Every structure is written in structure tokens, then in C-alpha cells.
Amino acid sequence: DAGVTQSPTHLIKTRGQQVTLRCSPKSGHDTVSWYQQALGQGPQFIFQYYEEEERQRGNFPDRFSGHQFPNYSSELNVNALLLGDSALYLCASTWGEAEAFFGQGTRLTVV
Amino acid sequence: AQSVTQPDIHITVSEGASLELRCNYSYGATPYLFWYVQSPGQGLQLLLKYFSGDTLVQGIKGFEAEFKRSQSSFNLRKPSVHWSDAAEYFCAVGRLGGYNKLIFGAGTRLAVHP
């Protein structure tokens, strides 16, 4: 079992650009959540996808959007990047009432 | 408001010493509580969880935590720390099933002296 996999592991973008991060959930999991972890902070919930729909959303602007595919994988898109978007982006997957499993994260640096 | 407070930003202990990391939460419903560990540049690994029942829960790597409803606390303990335990530890509260977002504390960074 590969667990939750995220790609890429690192990337550098320029202010104003757009970025797409990808997540493949753990086998058997159908729900994907995304978290942003700024340096020195705990993860903050961005949104959750289930059955290809955004089911719940945290306090993030509309520049943050996502998608879930029929195979349960997910993408996080961020438009008009700001320096403050620099962070570790974590994907977590779950199924039913099981606990969440996290991926290794994507480190985004905005310059 | 739902929140998690980890009062200690940094803790340093000697190898072999005991450890207690504090966690206090505010949550409107019955809480499901978690402790995760994060090594540098890595994702989060679940150490243990509390859903219901026995308030003392055992986790991986020799960790345990005690849920105290009256104090809204869920402190993490380990009787003897190993150098490999150096990492950042996060307490989280949430629900399971649908809408199961987690609310995390700011974390406690643990350093272990030989």
C-alpha cells in the first residue's frame, strides 16, 4: 500500500502565477482533505472533497480551488500566488469514520 | 470557537527522561482527539487517537495520552525518551465520518539531548 502520495515534493513559483498540486489517496479511501501548514504553524484546513464535490471549506479565499476525480485523486489549485502562500501543503485521505492519513506534503515557495 | 492550544512551543529533554506534552482544546461537540508527529520536511504520522471509552490510550512508539474532560486536556506522555523522538508534535481535535476536518494546535518542537 503506497499510502497517500503527493506531487511534486517541492516547487518554486513567482508571485501572480498559478500552481496545481496533486494528491493520490490511500487505497480504499474516498475522501480527500487539503491543509496548509505555514512555517512554524500547525496545519490549517483548506477544504475537503467527497464524491467529486467540495463538501466543506475552511477560511481560505476563492483563489484556492480544488477538484476530485472519479478515481478519488485530487488537485489543489492556487491562482494569483502571493508571498504568503508559501507553505507546506498537506493532503489527507480517509474513508467512512476512519482517521485521516497524511501525505508527505508539497513545499511551495513563492518568490 | 473550536481551537487547540499547545502551551509549550519548545521542550528539551535528556535521553531517557520522561516527557509530557500538553494539549488543551475547545470544541462544542464530543471531541475526537489525536496526536500526530512530524519529522523535518515530512508529513504527519498518527501517534494515537481517542474516540471514547478508556481515557488512557496507548499509541505507537511507546506513547500514551490521557483524556481529561473536566480539564479539556489530552496530554501526551512517554516514560523514557529516545533521541529518535526529536520532532514536532501536533495535537488535533475533530470528528470522524463526514465533514471530518481536523483543527490543529501550533505544535510543540521536542529536542532530545544525549
Side-chain angles (χ1 to χ4, degrees), chain B residues 11-23:
Chain B
I11 283 184
T12 300
V13 299
S14 297
E15 190 168 18
S18 64
L19 171 70
E20 183 169 26
L21 303 183
R22 296 182 290 165
C23 172

Side-chain angles (χ1 to χ4, degrees), chain A residues 7-8 11 13 17-23 34 65 69 74-79 81 106 108:
Chain A
S7 63
L11 73 166
K13 290 288 188 177
Q17 285 189 317
Q18 179 264 345
V19 68
T20 297
L21 310 182
R22 295 176 175 82
C23 172
W34 287 91
S65 63
F69 299 93
S74 177
E75 289 182 349
L76 164 65
N77 301 292
V78 187
N79 294 321
L81 284 166
T106 294
L108 171 65

Side-chain angles (χ1 to χ4, degrees), chain B residues 44-100:
Chain B
L44 300 173
Q45 181 183 22
L46 181 67
L47 285 175
L48 47 76
K49 57 187 183 285
Y50 172 77
F51 297 162
S52 64
D54 191 349
T55 57
L56 184 64
V57 294
Q58 303 296 320
I60 63 171
K61 304 184 180 185
F63 285 92
E64 66 178 27
E66 186 171 13
F67 171 60
K68 293 185 178 180
R69 185 184 299 274
S70 62
Q71 298 177 19
S72 297
S73 70
F74 188 56
N75 294 349
L76 181 71
R77 301 195 294 248
K78 186 169 185 178
S80 178
V81 170
H82 188 263
W83 63 267
S84 60
D85 293 324
E88 186 132 27
Y89 291 80
F90 293 94
C91 179
V93 65
R95 296 287 299 175
L96 293 181
Y99 303 93
N100 56 351

Side-chain angles (χ1 to χ4, degrees), chain A residues 4-7 16 19 21 57 59 62 77 80 84 87 89 105 109-110:
Chain A
V4 180
T5 58
Q6 294 186 242
S7 63
V19 68
L21 310 182
R57 188 177 183 92
N59 189 25
D62 291 344
N77 301 292
Y89 288 85
T109 302
V110 182

Side-chain angles (χ1 to χ4, degrees), chain A residues 35 37 48 55 96-97 104, chain B residues 38 42 96-97 99-100 102:
Chain A
Y35 291 81
Q37 185 179 15
Q48 183 182 88
R55 181 160 68 175
E97 297 201 354
Q104 298 292 84
Chain B
Q38 185 177 41
Q42 300 296 309
L96 293 181
Y99 303 93
N100 56 351
L102 295 173

